[in-house]
Amino acid sequence: MLRYVKMLKEALKEIEQREGISEYRARVMVAGSIGDRSDLIEIIEDLGRVVVTDALCTGTRWFMNKVKENGDPFENIARRYYQHNPYPRMIGEYERKRKMILELAKKYDVDGVIFQRIAFCDYHAADSVLLAKELEDEGIPAIVLERVFADRCREVQNESSGVPRNDRKVGVFFMCASR
């Protein structure tokens, strides 16, 4: 464990010494389903945008609202696990989700939000459209992209000889970049 802490400290030092990104067309937040596609960020940034924050299932939300250190540690861990930033599957929590995403958008001064969701993820299918509309009402442009799960990309690449495509027949954006 200490080896990883040391590596993290070294990485942070290196990152702090880097020159910041100064040439970009827009500051973007990526939100939605799990972040199983690291190349999504690369694609966005290759198009002249810079991703400044996220609201992905497996992203920033996992590091927000830390476990309280005073009191019963087991209760605190359980409370944090069940009460941290809500997912779309949590009924009755839409207002908290909306508030969290709006706060992140304002805190990081985003110019727009890209909601990406895995095809057939019904929870995000409803939430992402509603949240995009809410952001638009607040003056923050938003778009919803539907994509395939990362494992499906290998199948799609094999079927299409590695060429990324947008299959309009089924309305799914196949974001499978060849490397």
Side-chain angles (χ1 to χ4, degrees):
M1 180 70 166
L2 293 176
R3 185 175 110 212
Y4 297 110
V5 172
K6 181 181 176 191
M7 290 170 63
L8 180 59
K9 287 180 180 181
E10 289 171 4
L12 288 172
K13 280 182 190 176
E14 179 190 327
I15 291 168
E16 288 172 353
Q17 293 173 358
R18 289 182 191 168
E19 187 175 318
I21 299 170
S22 59
E23 296 198 24
Y24 56 87
R25 288 195 239 159
R27 296 170 57 85
V28 176
M29 176 195 318
V30 178
S33 300
I34 63 172
D36 65 330
R37 295 303 312 270
S38 60
D39 59 339
L40 171 62
I41 306 300
E42 292 176 39
I43 291 168
I44 293 167
E45 293 189 343
D46 285 348
L47 293 170
R49 281 60 178 173
V50 62
V51 176
V52 294
T53 190
D54 76 90
L56 298 168
C57 280
T58 54
T60 298
R61 71 174 61 227
W62 277 100
F63 305 101
M64 300 169 76
N65 307 333
K66 296 179 181 176
V67 175
K68 292 180 182 174
E69 293 184 26
N70 55 350
D72 180 347
F74 293 109
E75 185 176 325
N76 291 343
I77 291 169
R79 201 174 295 286
R80 190 321 186 144
Y81 180 78
Y82 285 107
Q83 295 178 351
H84 78 291
N85 302 305
Y87 293 94
R89 66 174 161 70
M90 300 171 82
I91 305 300
E93 295 290 340
Y94 179 80
E95 184 55 34
R96 270 192 350 148
K97 289 178 277 192
R98 186 187 72 76
K99 182 179 176 188
M100 178 198 69
I101 289 178
L102 274 171
E103 285 175 359
L104 281 171
K106 290 176 181 176
K107 177 180 180 182
Y108 290 96
D109 193 29
V110 302
D111 297 309
V113 177
I114 298 172
F115 286 95
Q116 57 82 38
R117 70 174 188 84
I118 297 171
F120 310 112
C121 176
D122 294 338
Y123 298 121
H124 280 286
D127 257 21
S128 57
V129 173
L130 292 171
L131 290 167
K133 172 74 171 94
E134 297 268 357
L135 287 167
E136 293 277 347
D137 291 347
E138 294 284 331
I140 302 169
I143 187 170
V144 178
L145 299 177
E146 184 178 58
R147 64 177 183 77
V148 294
F149 192 69
D151 286 346
R152 175 73 174 119
C153 286
R154 282 187 278 285
E155 295 171 33
V156 171
Q157 286 177 332
N158 291 338
E159 294 167 11
S160 65
S161 304
V163 178
R165 67 180 193 199
N166 182 351
D167 189 337
R168 296 182 195 283
K169 289 182 265 180
V170 293
V172 176
F173 175 72
F174 286 109
M175 189 185 63
C176 301
S178 299
R179 297 230 172 254

